[in-house]
Structures are given as C-alpha cells and as structure tokens.
Amino acid sequence: MDRAEKKECVETLANVFRTTSVVVVAHYSGLTVAQMQNLRKQMRAAGATVQVAKNRLVKIALEGSEVASISGLMKGPTLIAHSSDPVAAAKVAVAFAKDNDKLVILGGAMGKTALTVDAVKSLATMPSLDELRGKLLGLILAPATKLAQLTTAPAAKLARVVAAYAEKDAA
C-alpha cells in the first residue's frame, strides 16, 4: 500500500466509525476463505459489514472518534464488524462464532460505551430495530382494534334483539 492508499483507507475507516452505531472486534485467525465469505454474506444480509484492515490504520482512524475505546483490542489478526442497527453486527458475529470456534470475539463499542465479550453477547440477544418497530406497532394498533370491537358490539347486540322480536312477531 502506498501513502495515498493508506490515507484513503484511514479516511474511509474514520467515516465508518463516525456513522455506525456499533462496532464488534474479533480475531479471525484460522478461518478459511469460504468461511470468511460466508461471514460477509451473513453480515450483508443483516445490514452489517465486515472489514479487515491493518491495525495501525484502524488505530489512526479511531483517534478522536466515539468508538476509540476499541483501540486496545486491535492486536493480531483482527476484523471489525459494524452496522447502523445497534444489534445486527453483534447478532451475526455471535451466531457465527458459535458455529466456528476460529472466530473469537474480543469486544466492541456502542457509541462511547466500550463493550466486553459478555456485553456483545448480551447485545446479540436483544431484538433488532425492525422487531422492536413491529412490537411497537402491534401495541399501538391493539387498543384501536379493541375500541373498534367495542363500538360495533352494542350495535350488533341491538340488531340481534330487534331480529329476535321480529321473528317472534312473525311466528
């Protein structure tokens, strides 16, 4: 890599660290190319990204960013997984690490908060942003549905009573 490429890489990483909400750091030593491609594919499907970069360039890009706490984790063959959804990268990384013992999660950061390995695993068990939106929408719609049922119920009862009297008079 020449100087211009390194500068561009640092700028790209700095932009990533400014715009993402969560960063997960892991060792990937021993993973095959096929396993790495599978990890990238799973991350992309979840709306997350995996990057492998030189540790020194990552440390330079981390300077002054909110997620600078992960700087100490950048030793050895590391990869960074990041996403704008707070749980997507953690979810995929933890699920992939369960199946592949060669991927070792070191920690991460969520904003200014440093995450330990246990914190990343806890974050992975939380529902995603889309799941939370669905639950919230269900909670909002439930009272409206019940209200509609209550307002139509008296009219339906009245109609049945009138129909019963009409059948009684006809007989």
Side-chain angles (χ1 to χ4, degrees):
M1 244 189 204
D2 67 349
R3 192 176 202 67
E5 289 174 330
K6 288 179 182 179
K7 189 173 184 177
E8 182 181 331
C9 182
V10 168
E11 288 174 7
T12 303
L13 286 169
N15 185 39
V16 164
F17 295 139
R18 278 193 304 271
T19 58
T20 60
S21 61
V22 68
V23 178
V24 177
V25 181
H27 276 168
Y28 67 93
S29 180
L31 286 178
T32 64
V33 173
Q35 290 170 328
M36 277 297 286
Q37 287 176 337
N38 188 21
L39 175 63
R40 289 179 195 274
K41 190 166 131 183
Q42 289 177 15
M43 285 282 188
R44 203 170 334 154
T49 307
V50 174
Q51 281 186 297
V52 176
K54 292 185 178 235
N55 292 338
R56 182 70 190 132
L57 297 179
V58 173
K59 287 180 182 180
I60 293 170
L62 283 169
E63 291 174 4
S65 70
E66 286 187 352
V67 294
S69 60
I70 65 170
S71 182
L73 301 175
M74 303 307 296
K75 293 178 182 143
T78 55
L79 63 81
I80 54 172
H82 54 85
S83 65
S84 55
D85 182 359
V87 297
K91 231 177 223 204
V92 175
V94 169
F96 193 83
K98 283 182 184 175
D99 297 336
N100 299 293
D101 58 342
K102 302 283 186 192
L103 184 73
V104 179
I105 297 173
L106 302 175
M110 180 183 233
K112 291 183 180 183
T113 307
L115 301 174
T116 62
V117 177
D118 293 331
V120 171
K121 289 179 181 177
S122 295
L123 185 63
T125 60
M126 294 178 66
S128 70
L129 192 57
D130 289 336
E131 291 171 2
L132 287 174
R133 285 180 180 150
K135 288 180 182 180
L136 182 62
L137 189 60
L139 289 172
I140 290 171
L141 291 178
T145 305
K146 291 190 188 272
L147 185 61
Q149 289 172 350
L150 288 174
T151 57
T152 58
K157 286 181 183 176
L158 181 63
R160 283 193 292 271
V161 168
V162 170
Y165 278 119
E167 287 176 14
K168 183 178 171 185
D169 289 340

